Amino acid sequence: MSDSKGEFEPKIVVYACNWCTYAATDLAGTSRMSYPPNVRIIRVMCSGRVDPQFVLQAFADGADGVIVAGCHPPADCHYIEGNYKAYRRFELFRKLLETMGIEQERFRLEWISAAEASRWVQVVNEMVAQLKKLGPLKPNLEVRE
Amino acid sequence: MSEKPKVAWYWCASCGGCEESFVDLAERLLKVFEAVDIVFCPVAMDFKREDVEKLPDGSITVALINGGIRLKEHEEMVKLLRKKSKIVIAYGACSAWGGIPGLANLYNLDEALERKYLEVPTIENPKEVLPTKKIIVNIPEAKMKAELELPEPLPVLLPLDKVIDVDYYIPGCPPTPDVFWNALQALLSGNLPPKGAIVGASNRSLCDECSLNETKPEKVLVKEFKRPDKAKPEPNKCLLAQGFLCMGPVTRGGCTALCIKGNMPCTGCFGLLDGIVDYGGKAISYFGSILDYSPVEEKEIKKAFDGIPDWIGTIYRYSLAASKLSHKAGIKKPKRIKEVVEI
């Protein structure tokens, strides 16, 4: 994707937990904070619901970066320990990205509470800047004629 | 009497274990020969490519293809077989998802060739001979030169369905004779599942048919991952509950848990259940769920995961080439394969 000037505009898929991060994105909107339009937010009930397969699918379908965001550990999770589960999964998932030659900056696991609209804006700004530096993700390079 | 159905059997990048599973049908093999005509089978019979080319299009009833697609030759042959066959079956894990040879997709082909032909401790290759596209051999006695053309490798290994249209899959590394027999029965009786289905195996996870399933606790929680070569499993107790990384929960059943009967945790050769799109992704999800630490115990979590040594080989042992990422990013065309070499 690129804008009218031809500059690369990264696509970022965000899996946001219903109880904290999605509320934060909502708050950012109602507080009229501005942030880059590169994010596509998918609301999930809990960060613990996000299967690493979803992230792989997003990358395979053309996302340049993925953010999984949920409630702060240890005690904010609406489902007691969903964020714990997400943490353990994505700890291992990062090792997969590393082995497959995909830059670590393309994936972020973030804890953003319902009140942290400014934190949400900051995360998006940072990620967009990082991905612009890295350029588009092409895991499936043209290896065949 | 109507003509018997024609069967072709071809191997690509595979170890020969799939053919072995055919031989292991034992007495049932005679029934197979009674029922079908084998028109092409390079592993056992002397048929040539020309023999297949001469057949009319669509005249082969079933083509069974095992092994991943690693060479141009494989690619050409499976395309030819696709044209000549009514039904094409990806036979075994390599053909269906890349299998063990698919793990080479973690490397550039140059690295893989160097490893295979120069570095491995068992190889002696002082002249550093690597595969080339064409070799010209001087034969002084006959005062002539002979030209040998070798099939060129593809930059990565591809599962069969990334090269041609595949009708059915028979899973396993190799498929057990019973699984093959079930699939064969389904094919011969014409009682065929919808296209793209797995035939011969079940759509329940392996745990469902494992004899140790009764001892599996309702909630599996482990503090560390054990390896079967470092720790001895207790007999008759769920291996997963003991901390051995058994891929049973995310693997398709159908093999009757043979490895577990031999005290070996499942490695996942029957592959994905319906509804799973990426075997490794699902495996990560499951490892994360059973590890019994809170996130504040970061060191312990890291340590537990570091206890899985070849962990890509654990989560993608048979399916890396068919995974969402399929190969390491940035794999390039090989540089070290020369066009012509004269010896």
Side-chain angles (χ1 to χ4, degrees):
Chain A
M1 194 172 97
S2 55
D3 66 4
S4 53
K5 287 176 209 157
E7 197 194 342
F8 163 64
E9 287 292 342
K11 276 183 221 144
I12 303 171
V13 172
V14 184
Y15 293 99
C17 114
N18 177 55
W19 305 97
C20 290
T21 310
Y22 193 81
T25 65
D26 219 13
L27 181 64
T30 48
S31 315
R32 298 181 172 242
M33 293 174 166
S34 67
Y35 57 87
N38 304 56
V39 285
R40 280 89 167 135
I41 303 169
I42 298 171
R43 174 153 65 157
V44 289
M45 287 311 281
C46 178
S47 56
R49 172 65 184 98
V50 184
D51 192 311
Q53 288 184 99
F54 301 173
V55 183
L56 290 170
Q57 184 78 56
F59 280 131
D61 287 350
D64 300 299
V66 176
I67 301 173
V68 174
C71 310
H72 283 274
D76 278 7
C77 180
H78 187 81
Y79 305 102
I80 322 283
E81 52 175 27
N83 52 356
Y84 287 34
K85 194 178 265 188
Y87 176 85
R88 294 192 299 262
R89 280 180 181 163
F90 289 106
E91 189 64 32
L92 198 53
F93 183 75
R94 283 203 184 93
K95 283 174 86 168
L96 171 66
L97 291 187
E98 190 189 338
T99 318
M100 298 306 282
I102 292 176
E103 298 88 350
Q104 291 295 317
E105 292 85 348
R106 295 194 187 273
F107 174 77
R108 282 178 87 141
L109 178 65
E110 288 290 338
W111 310 127
I112 301 169
S113 85
E116 291 176 319
S118 56
R119 171 79 187 140
W120 159 250
V121 172
Q122 185 199 346
V123 166
V124 175
N125 277 320
E126 278 174 17
M127 185 112 179
V128 170
Q130 274 171 340
L131 292 178
K132 278 191 176 170
K133 255 187 230 162
L134 285 175
L137 172 69
K138 285 186 196 155
N140 295 306
L141 286 181
E142 286 169 26
V143 289
R144 304 189 59 225
E145 282 154 14
Chain B
M1 199 184 115
S2 63
E3 215 177 301
K4 285 198 259 184
K6 290 189 173 68
V7 173
W9 181 292
Y10 186 67
W11 56 352
C12 300
S14 79
C15 65
C18 287
E19 282 79 10
E20 201 56 49
S21 73
F22 183 58
V23 176
D24 281 348
L25 282 175
E27 305 88 74
R28 288 182 285 187
L29 202 54
L30 298 171
K31 284 187 190 158
V32 176
F33 287 131
E34 266 172 34
V36 302
D37 262 340
I38 295 181
V39 291
F40 182 60
C41 180
V43 70
M45 296 168 179
D46 190 18
F47 288 112
K48 297 283 186 272
R49 183 176 165 160
E50 291 83 52
D51 300 319
V52 183
E53 278 166 353
K54 275 178 210 154
L55 293 168
D57 286 1
S59 64
I60 300 172
T61 317
V62 180
L64 295 155
I65 297 171
N66 65 60
I69 312 301
R70 179 86 252 194
L71 301 175
K72 280 264 163 68
E73 183 196 8
H74 299 152
E75 198 182 344
E76 285 166 21
M77 277 308 299
V78 298
K79 281 181 178 164
L80 176 67
L81 284 168
R82 176 70 265 187
K83 209 167 79 180
K84 302 289 176 190
S85 317
K86 288 195 189 85
I87 298 170
V88 169
I89 298 184
Y91 188 92
C94 294
S95 185
W97 316 293
I100 296 204
L103 286 171
N105 286 4
L106 286 175
Y107 306 93
N108 277 318
L109 189 56
D110 284 328
E111 291 168 347
L113 289 176
E114 274 167 37
R115 178 77 188 144
K116 166 80 174 67
Y117 289 94
L118 307 174
E119 289 169 12
V120 280
T122 50
I123 205 137
E124 203 186 297
N125 185 1
K127 286 185 182 167
E128 303 207 341
V129 181
L130 287 172
T132 42
K133 287 182 192 170
K134 193 186 266 185
I135 298 177
I136 299 169
V137 189
N138 283 308
I139 310 169
E141 300 85 38
K143 286 180 187 164
M144 64 172 283
K145 283 179 180 182
E147 278 189 9
L148 297 172
E149 278 210 44
L150 292 177
E152 198 185 331
L154 300 172
V156 292
L157 183 135
L158 299 163
L160 187 61
D161 57 9
K162 290 203 181 165
V163 181
I164 57 165
D165 197 26
V166 173
D167 295 298
Y168 301 111
Y169 301 82
I170 300 180
C173 180
T176 60
D178 284 338
V179 164
F180 182 33
W181 183 247
N182 291 344
L184 215 56
Q185 294 296 320
L187 286 166
L188 290 175
S189 65
N191 185 13
L192 291 166
K195 194 182 162 178
I198 303 259
V199 278
S202 102
N203 189 32
R204 304 289 300 266
S205 89
L206 180 73
C207 294
D208 191 51
E209 57 192 45
C210 177
S211 56
L212 305 180
N213 197 19
E214 281 172 13
T215 63
K216 187 175 162 188
E218 192 155 309
K219 194 166 186 184
V220 179
L221 287 172
V222 298
K223 286 278 183 194
E224 58 167 344
F225 297 120
K226 291 181 196 158
R227 303 174 58 182
D229 60 327
K230 292 272 160 64
K232 202 176 168 195
E234 276 174 52
N236 306 324
K237 195 180 163 202
C238 175
L239 293 169
L240 188 55
Q242 297 181 53
F244 291 95
L245 259 185
C246 179
M247 303 301 274
V250 289
T251 303
R252 183 182 294 271
C255 64
T256 66
L258 286 173
C259 293
I260 293 155
K261 282 177 194 157
N263 248 357
M264 174 71 192
C266 171
T267 56
C269 75
F270 267 57
L272 309 80
L273 284 155
D274 291 352
I276 297 180
V277 294
D278 190 287
Y279 188 87
K282 195 74 213 170
I284 290 176
S285 160
Y286 134 69
F287 293 176
S289 308
I290 62 169
L291 193 60
D292 190 16
Y293 289 109
S294 71
V296 283
E297 298 171 286
E298 281 181 31
K299 268 188 197 156
E300 284 82 356
I301 293 172
K302 278 206 172 73
K303 205 178 142 205
F305 286 141
D306 288 342
I308 313 172
D310 170 23
W311 85 280
I312 283 279
T314 307
I315 63 169
Y316 279 124
R317 184 160 303 176
Y318 304 95
S319 56
L320 183 69
S323 70
K324 287 286 160 199
L325 301 173
S326 83
H327 57 265
K328 189 168 181 171
I331 281 186
K332 291 185 181 70
K333 286 194 175 172
K335 288 189 193 113
R336 291 206 59 161
I337 296 178
K338 290 179 193 149
E339 292 289 329
V340 186
V341 161
E342 201 168 326
I343 53 171

mmCIF file of all heavy atoms in Angstrom, chain B residues 52-61 79-86:
data_model
loop_
_atom_site.group_PDB
_atom_site.id
_atom_site.type_symbol
_atom_site.label_atom_id
_atom_site.label_comp_id
_atom_site.label_asym_id
_atom_site.label_seq_id
_atom_site.Cartn_x
_atom_site.Cartn_y
_atom_site.Cartn_z
ATOM 1 N N VAL B 52 4.177 -43.337 -19.725
ATOM 2 C CA VAL B 52 3.083 -42.512 -19.204
ATOM 3 C C VAL B 52 2.632 -41.529 -20.277
ATOM 4 O O VAL B 52 1.441 -41.298 -20.484
ATOM 5 C CB VAL B 52 3.533 -41.751 -17.937
ATOM 6 C CG1 VAL B 52 2.371 -40.957 -17.355
ATOM 7 C CG2 VAL B 52 4.069 -42.713 -16.906
ATOM 8 N N GLU B 53 3.607 -40.967 -20.989
ATOM 9 C CA GLU B 53 3.257 -39.984 -22.023
ATOM 10 C C GLU B 53 2.359 -40.587 -23.096
ATOM 11 O O GLU B 53 1.507 -39.906 -23.661
ATOM 12 C CB GLU B 53 4.532 -39.412 -22.659
ATOM 13 C CG GLU B 53 5.140 -38.311 -21.816
ATOM 14 C CD GLU B 53 6.555 -37.937 -22.218
ATOM 15 O OE1 GLU B 53 7.148 -38.628 -23.079
ATOM 16 O OE2 GLU B 53 7.071 -36.955 -21.647
ATOM 17 N N LYS B 54 2.569 -41.888 -23.370
ATOM 18 C CA LYS B 54 1.781 -42.547 -24.421
ATOM 19 C C LYS B 54 0.333 -42.768 -24.016
ATOM 20 O O LYS B 54 -0.537 -42.915 -24.870
ATOM 21 C CB LYS B 54 2.420 -43.898 -24.769
ATOM 22 C CG LYS B 54 3.540 -43.788 -25.784
ATOM 23 C CD LYS B 54 4.125 -45.170 -26.026
ATOM 24 C CE LYS B 54 5.591 -45.067 -26.397
ATOM 25 N NZ LYS B 54 6.326 -46.282 -26.046
ATOM 26 N N LEU B 55 0.069 -42.829 -22.721
ATOM 27 C CA LEU B 55 -1.308 -43.080 -22.270
ATOM 28 C C LEU B 55 -2.214 -41.902 -22.634
ATOM 29 O O LEU B 55 -1.780 -40.756 -22.608
ATOM 30 C CB LEU B 55 -1.342 -43.268 -20.745
ATOM 31 C CG LEU B 55 -0.664 -44.509 -20.180
ATOM 32 C CD1 LEU B 55 -0.534 -44.378 -18.675
ATOM 33 C CD2 LEU B 55 -1.446 -45.766 -20.538
ATOM 34 N N PRO B 56 -3.477 -42.187 -22.980
ATOM 35 C CA PRO B 56 -4.379 -41.066 -23.242
ATOM 36 C C PRO B 56 -4.657 -40.253 -21.969
ATOM 37 O O PRO B 56 -4.574 -40.789 -20.861
ATOM 38 C CB PRO B 56 -5.661 -41.748 -23.736
ATOM 39 C CG PRO B 56 -5.415 -43.197 -23.750
ATOM 40 C CD PRO B 56 -4.106 -43.499 -23.139
ATOM 41 N N ASP B 57 -5.000 -38.973 -22.155
ATOM 42 C CA ASP B 57 -5.290 -38.117 -20.999
ATOM 43 C C ASP B 57 -6.462 -38.676 -20.197
ATOM 44 O O ASP B 57 -7.448 -39.125 -20.765
ATOM 45 C CB ASP B 57 -5.647 -36.695 -21.462
ATOM 46 C CG ASP B 57 -4.422 -35.942 -21.932
ATOM 47 O OD1 ASP B 57 -3.327 -36.541 -21.911
ATOM 48 O OD2 ASP B 57 -4.560 -34.779 -22.334
ATOM 49 N N GLY B 58 -6.347 -38.638 -18.899
ATOM 50 C CA GLY B 58 -7.432 -39.096 -18.029
ATOM 51 C C GLY B 58 -7.615 -40.596 -17.987
ATOM 52 O O GLY B 58 -8.619 -41.090 -17.477
ATOM 53 N N SER B 59 -6.635 -41.352 -18.497
ATOM 54 C CA SER B 59 -6.832 -42.805 -18.547
ATOM 55 C C SER B 59 -6.388 -43.493 -17.250
ATOM 56 O O SER B 59 -6.782 -44.621 -16.987
ATOM 57 C CB SER B 59 -6.084 -43.403 -19.734
ATOM 58 O OG SER B 59 -4.708 -43.199 -19.559
ATOM 59 N N ILE B 60 -5.572 -42.829 -16.452
ATOM 60 C CA ILE B 60 -5.194 -43.412 -15.160
ATOM 61 C C ILE B 60 -6.306 -43.075 -14.166
ATOM 62 O O ILE B 60 -6.727 -41.926 -14.074
ATOM 63 C CB ILE B 60 -3.850 -42.844 -14.672
ATOM 64 C CG1 ILE B 60 -2.733 -43.148 -15.684
ATOM 65 C CG2 ILE B 60 -3.475 -43.394 -13.301
ATOM 66 C CD1 ILE B 60 -1.421 -42.471 -15.378
ATOM 67 N N THR B 61 -6.779 -44.077 -13.456
ATOM 68 C CA THR B 61 -7.871 -43.800 -12.516
ATOM 69 C C THR B 61 -7.354 -43.026 -11.312
ATOM 70 O O THR B 61 -7.906 -42.006 -10.929
ATOM 71 C CB THR B 61 -8.515 -45.124 -12.046
ATOM 72 O OG1 THR B 61 -8.662 -45.968 -13.177
ATOM 73 C CG2 THR B 61 -9.864 -44.876 -11.411
ATOM 74 N N LYS B 79 3.006 -32.890 -13.016
ATOM 75 C CA LYS B 79 2.111 -32.205 -13.962
ATOM 76 C C LYS B 79 1.645 -33.179 -15.038
ATOM 77 O O LYS B 79 0.488 -33.150 -15.448
ATOM 78 C CB LYS B 79 2.815 -30.996 -14.576
ATOM 79 C CG LYS B 79 2.825 -29.805 -13.638
ATOM 80 C CD LYS B 79 3.495 -28.603 -14.230
ATOM 81 C CE LYS B 79 3.404 -27.443 -13.239
ATOM 82 N NZ LYS B 79 4.354 -26.380 -13.581
ATOM 83 N N LEU B 80 2.581 -34.038 -15.478
ATOM 84 C CA LEU B 80 2.222 -35.055 -16.474
ATOM 85 C C LEU B 80 1.187 -36.021 -15.897
ATOM 86 O O LEU B 80 0.171 -36.326 -16.541
ATOM 87 C CB LEU B 80 3.488 -35.814 -16.896
ATOM 88 C CG LEU B 80 3.302 -36.983 -17.856
ATOM 89 C CD1 LEU B 80 2.838 -36.479 -19.209
ATOM 90 C CD2 LEU B 80 4.596 -37.769 -18.020
ATOM 91 N N LEU B 81 1.434 -36.459 -14.667
ATOM 92 C CA LEU B 81 0.502 -37.406 -14.050
ATOM 93 C C LEU B 81 -0.869 -36.770 -13.814
ATOM 94 O O LEU B 81 -1.898 -37.428 -13.945
ATOM 95 C CB LEU B 81 1.074 -37.944 -12.734
ATOM 96 C CG LEU B 81 2.169 -38.997 -12.894
ATOM 97 C CD1 LEU B 81 2.872 -39.241 -11.573
ATOM 98 C CD2 LEU B 81 1.605 -40.308 -13.442
ATOM 99 N N ARG B 82 -0.862 -35.509 -13.476
ATOM 100 C CA ARG B 82 -2.144 -34.814 -13.283
ATOM 101 C C ARG B 82 -2.970 -34.850 -14.575
ATOM 102 O O ARG B 82 -4.172 -35.084 -14.569
ATOM 103 C CB ARG B 82 -1.881 -33.385 -12.856
ATOM 104 C CG ARG B 82 -3.083 -32.476 -12.706
ATOM 105 C CD ARG B 82 -3.939 -32.836 -11.535
ATOM 106 N NE ARG B 82 -5.056 -33.694 -11.852
ATOM 107 C CZ ARG B 82 -6.007 -34.026 -11.007
ATOM 108 N NH1 ARG B 82 -5.984 -33.598 -9.765
ATOM 109 N NH2 ARG B 82 -6.983 -34.820 -11.356
ATOM 110 N N LYS B 83 -2.278 -34.639 -15.698
ATOM 111 C CA LYS B 83 -2.965 -34.607 -16.989
ATOM 112 C C LYS B 83 -3.535 -35.987 -17.345
ATOM 113 O O LYS B 83 -4.611 -36.100 -17.918
ATOM 114 C CB LYS B 83 -1.960 -34.175 -18.068
ATOM 115 C CG LYS B 83 -2.599 -33.442 -19.229
ATOM 116 C CD LYS B 83 -1.546 -32.767 -20.087
ATOM 117 C CE LYS B 83 -0.889 -33.769 -21.001
ATOM 118 N NZ LYS B 83 0.135 -33.242 -21.885
ATOM 119 N N LYS B 84 -2.805 -37.024 -16.935
ATOM 120 C CA LYS B 84 -3.196 -38.371 -17.338
ATOM 121 C C LYS B 84 -4.173 -39.027 -16.357
ATOM 122 O O LYS B 84 -4.648 -40.129 -16.616
ATOM 123 C CB LYS B 84 -1.945 -39.267 -17.442
ATOM 124 C CG LYS B 84 -0.886 -38.767 -18.414
ATOM 125 C CD LYS B 84 -1.329 -38.907 -19.842
ATOM 126 C CE LYS B 84 -0.302 -38.325 -20.802
ATOM 127 N NZ LYS B 84 -0.812 -38.239 -22.165
ATOM 128 N N SER B 85 -4.409 -38.374 -15.200
ATOM 129 C CA SER B 85 -5.173 -39.069 -14.158
ATOM 130 C C SER B 85 -6.505 -38.406 -13.846
ATOM 131 O O SER B 85 -6.649 -37.192 -13.951
ATOM 132 C CB SER B 85 -4.370 -39.125 -12.859
ATOM 133 O OG SER B 85 -3.046 -39.457 -13.117
ATOM 134 N N LYS B 86 -7.427 -39.256 -13.428
ATOM 135 C CA LYS B 86 -8.731 -38.734 -12.986
ATOM 136 C C LYS B 86 -8.617 -38.210 -11.558
ATOM 137 O O LYS B 86 -9.123 -37.156 -11.235
ATOM 138 C CB LYS B 86 -9.777 -39.852 -13.042
ATOM 139 C CG LYS B 86 -10.182 -40.231 -14.461
ATOM 140 C CD LYS B 86 -11.472 -41.053 -14.446
ATOM 141 C CE LYS B 86 -11.782 -41.622 -15.810
ATOM 142 N NZ LYS B 86 -11.082 -42.903 -16.068
#
